[in-house]
C-alpha cells in the first residue's frame, strides 16, 4: 500500500511538472530561455542584496518588470512573458528572500523590496519601465509608482 501511495505521488508530481511547462515558449537557445532557471543573471544591488533575475527580449525594447507575490519567484511569470518577448525587454526577478536571490537575515518590508526594484533598475541603467505585480508585488509596484513616478 505504501508503495502505491508513493507511486501515485510521484506520478502526480511528474504530471504537474509536465503540465506546468506545456505551451510555455522559450526565447532563443535553451541557455537563454525564459523558463530556464540556469539562464538567470545575478547582480549585486546598492541595497546590499544579491538578486537573481531574467532579462529577455530585445535589449532596446521598452522594459517591463514583473514582481511576484510572497513565497514565490520569477517563475510565476513564465506563462505571461513569452507573449511579449518579440517587442519588449522583459525582466522578472526573484525578490530578496525568494527563489534564487539572496536570503538575508533581515529586512523584508515593502520599502526594502521597493528599494531593491529601483536599485535593479539603476544597476541595469533602466530609467523608466512598466511595472507589473501580483499579490504582494502589486503593493510594491504601487509604492514605486507613488514614490518614484518618473521611473514608471
Amino acid at each position: 500500500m505504501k508503495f502505491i501511495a508513493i507511486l501515485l505521488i510521484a506520478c502526480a508530481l511528474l504530471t504537474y511538472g509536465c503540465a506546468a511547462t506545456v505551451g510555455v515558449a522559450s526565447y532563443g537557445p535553451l541557455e537563454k530561455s525564459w523558463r530556464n532557471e540556469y539562464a538567470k543573471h545575478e547582480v549585486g544591488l546598492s541595497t546590499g542584496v544579491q538578486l537573481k533575475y531574467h532579462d529577455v527580449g530585445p535589449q532596446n525594447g521598452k522594459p517591463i518588470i514583473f514582481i511576484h507575490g510572497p513565497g514565490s519567484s520569477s517563475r510565476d511569470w513564465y506563462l505571461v512573458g513569452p507573449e511579449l518577448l518579440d517587442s519588449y525587454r522583459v525582466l522578472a526577478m526573484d525578490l530578496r528572500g525568494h527563489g534564487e536571490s539572496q536570503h538575508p537575515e533581515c529586512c523584508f518590508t515593502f520599502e526594502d523590496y521597493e528599494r531593491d526594484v529601483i536599485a535593479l533598475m539603476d544597476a541595469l541603467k533602466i530609467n523608466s519601465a512598466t511595472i507589473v505585480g501580483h499579490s504582494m508585488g502589486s503593493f510594491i509596484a504601487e509604492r514605486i509608482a507613488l514614490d518614484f513616478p518618473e521611473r514608471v
Side-chain angles (χ1 to χ4, degrees), residues 17 28 36-37 49 54 62 65 79 82 103 111-112 114 120 139:
N36 182 352
E37 287 294 303
V49 176
H54 279 285
K62 182 168 174 43
I65 299 175
L79 295 174
H103 292 245
E111 183 179 69
D112 296 315
E114 173 189 25
L120 176 68
F139 291 108

Side-chain angles (χ1 to χ4, degrees), residues 58-128:
Q59 292 297 295
N60 62 347
K62 182 168 174 43
I64 300 175
I65 299 175
F66 289 106
I67 306 172
H68 61 78
S72 195
S73 71
S74 59
R75 296 183 76 183
D76 283 0
W77 301 104
Y78 286 3
L79 295 174
V80 175
E83 303 301 322
L84 306 169
L85 294 179
D86 289 332
S87 304
Y88 295 92
R89 180 179 182 185
V90 178
L91 297 107
M93 72 199 71
D94 291 344
L95 293 170
R96 67 169 60 205
H98 294 79
E100 295 181 17
S101 287
Q102 183 180 359
H103 292 245
E105 291 185 24
C106 77
C107 311
F108 297 96
T109 67
F110 286 130
E111 183 179 69
D112 296 315
Y113 293 126
E114 173 189 25
R115 285 186 288 146
D116 288 345
V117 174
I118 294 298
L120 176 68
M121 291 174 72
D122 291 343
L124 299 178
K125 298 181 179 15
I126 297 173
N127 293 325
S128 68

Side-chain angles (χ1 to χ4, degrees), residues 28-43:
L30 183 59
E31 65 273 6
K32 295 183 180 178
S33 170
W34 171 246
R35 63 183 178 169
N36 182 352
E37 287 294 303
Y38 302 105
K40 284 185 178 173
H41 305 281
E42 185 170 359
V43 64

